[in-house]
Amino acid sequence: MKSTILNHWKSLSFILFISLLGMACKDESKFEISGKFTNAQPKTKVYLFGVDKNSETPVDSTVLSDKGEFRFTRSTPDVDFFRVKIDNSEYMLIAKNGDKIQLSADLADPTMVYQISGAEEADKLEELNKNKNRYTAKIAAIQAQFEQTVASQPHNREAIVNQMRPALIKENEDLVDYILKFAMDNTSSLAGFYAINSLNPGDYEQELIAYADKIKSKFNNNAAVTEFLVRMTKLKAVQVGQIAPDFTMNSIDGKPVKLSDFRGKYMLLDFWASWCQPCRMENPNVVKAYQQFKDKNFTIVGVSLDKDPAAWKQAVVADGLNWTQLSELKDFDSPTVRLYQIDAIPSSFLLDPSGKIVAKNLRADQLVEFLSKTLR
């Protein structure tokens, strides 16, 4: 009996030794991405790109085997984003040294759905993709149903839109809610960072800033995260409740004008351009507000993103923009446009007499409603 127990412990010790040996031999200086594509042509070239901020850098390439298989082995200074590309398909991955990631996909699938596993970040990204695909499939089904119904009843298009819009809005809202929750639940994972950056910054500024505060001491060596944190710090400076950053800019007649010169009045700081069709469509609403409140301690300062001074001046006259007009004539490269974190126009900031931002992006009748309640 004693001998049997001893032999049993010897067997367990041997198994444990082999397991530890395998762990000790794992190469932590590199990561591996291997995978298999179905509906792929053998010998097709596969590329691996590193993703740095908004650009991609070629890292490696290989060709598919006769079975549609491939493998990359590389090293990275820290956990980072990578993209696998083949033909017109591409697949986002997150990897760090020591990971062994498996990727599989059907190249005939136009939605580019893919499966990944084999590492903690890969599992998180797989979870995100799986749930996002579930929501987008529902949204696509509603859109397909809408198109089919309209095709059979074209005369009822408006009624069909009104009937189906609530379901579409709900699915979109559910998708956004899921993305925000996933990001906040995974602040130690780059998958969370990837998730929240799929949202439109203009629509979710507060959520993005809150997320940035959660990750500001993490991913210190990741260029994309660092750039994001810098951008969120700047965005925080132009939120409601903050004093609008001061600047000096030339007016339409070439004279320098300082923003703080308008202190003492409510002021709409309006970013627009002559080439921006939504801006031109919104201009009549801005003119309406100006005419109604210009004698009630309210004014407007327009900042044009035009590059062509003639086009800018022509649009000012054509649209009747009879208030102070400024421009650096540098499009989105304008230092002031970057200072205010403008990534789409029209964009506007309503300032109170102290220069504090009290509202942003009031459209159509919203501006008139706000001023009607405020300027009595």
Side-chain angles (χ1 to χ4, degrees), residues 101-349:
I101 300 169
Q102 292 85 46
L103 181 155
S104 61
D106 181 356
L107 296 187
D109 183 355
T111 65
M112 290 189 288
V113 170
Y114 63 109
Q115 293 75 46
I116 47 175
S117 61
E120 185 177 356
E121 287 282 12
D123 292 342
K124 286 291 183 185
L125 195 54
E126 172 69 10
E127 176 190 345
L128 172 66
N129 289 341
K130 184 177 180 180
N131 285 290
K132 281 181 66 178
N133 291 338
R134 181 164 55 86
Y135 286 110
T136 53
K138 290 181 181 179
I139 292 168
I142 294 171
Q143 290 173 332
Q145 183 184 354
F146 168 76
E147 291 170 4
Q148 183 179 359
T149 308
V150 168
S152 62
Q153 306 173 43
H155 55 287
N156 288 330
R157 191 179 195 282
E158 186 175 350
I160 295 167
V161 167
N162 292 333
Q163 179 184 358
M164 302 189 71
R165 183 187 286 118
L168 188 61
I169 290 173
K170 182 183 183 304
E171 292 300 336
N172 275 291
E173 288 176 345
D174 288 349
L175 172 58
V176 169
D177 289 345
Y178 169 75
I179 290 171
L180 289 171
K181 185 177 187 307
F182 180 91
M184 286 301 188
D185 288 348
N186 292 280
T187 53
S188 297
S189 167
L190 275 184
F193 176 74
Y194 176 67
I196 205 161
N197 274 275
S198 67
L199 301 178
N200 182 352
D203 294 332
Y204 300 99
E205 287 183 353
Q206 294 296 329
E207 291 84 354
L208 286 166
I209 290 170
Y211 174 79
D213 288 339
K214 292 275 190 180
I215 67 163
K216 58 186 175 184
S217 60
K218 304 172 183 177
F219 313 113
N220 294 332
N221 297 322
N222 188 282
V225 174
T226 299
E227 189 271 340
F228 170 78
L229 292 176
V230 170
R231 185 158 45 92
M232 289 303 107
T233 299
K234 293 178 179 178
L235 187 59
K236 191 182 288 189
V238 290
Q239 293 301 294
V240 171
Q242 301 297 314
I243 296 295
D246 202 6
F247 62 84
T248 301
M249 192 184 301
N250 282 347
S251 66
I252 201 165
D253 54 4
K255 296 178 181 178
V257 175
K258 196 173 183 180
L259 181 70
S260 54
D261 290 342
F262 295 88
R263 294 276 174 87
K265 289 187 175 184
Y266 278 87
M267 186 197 72
L268 183 73
L269 182 60
D270 183 35
F271 291 84
W272 72 290
S274 67
W275 45 259
C276 168
Q277 201 57 38
C279 301
R280 304 296 295 274
M281 292 173 66
E282 181 65 19
N283 276 346
N285 297 317
V286 183
V287 170
K288 176 183 175 183
Y290 181 72
Q291 293 296 338
Q292 189 170 342
F293 296 99
K294 66 179 181 176
D295 297 324
K296 297 181 179 180
N297 206 38
F298 171 73
T299 191
I300 299 175
V301 173
V303 177
S304 170
L305 276 67
D306 278 283
K307 284 186 172 182
D308 180 354
W312 170 35
K313 293 174 182 178
Q314 184 178 9
V316 167
V317 173
D319 292 2
L321 311 183
N322 299 319
W323 48 81
T324 302
Q325 291 290 335
L326 313 175
S327 184
E328 290 166 319
L329 298 173
K330 293 183 178 179
D331 201 82
F332 284 95
D333 292 326
S334 157
T336 303
V337 169
R338 288 203 292 255
L339 176 66
Y340 277 78
Q341 294 296 292
I342 305 297
D343 55 18
I345 51 175
S347 287
S348 63
F349 300 79

Side-chain angles (χ1 to χ4, degrees), residues 31-34 46-48 60-62 70-74 84-85:
F31 66 88
E32 180 182 287
I33 299 173
S34 61
V46 187
Y47 299 90
L48 180 67
D60 205 349
S61 65
T62 186
F70 70 94
R71 176 177 280 104
F72 294 113
T73 303
R74 306 292 302 180
V84 172
K85 290 189 177 184

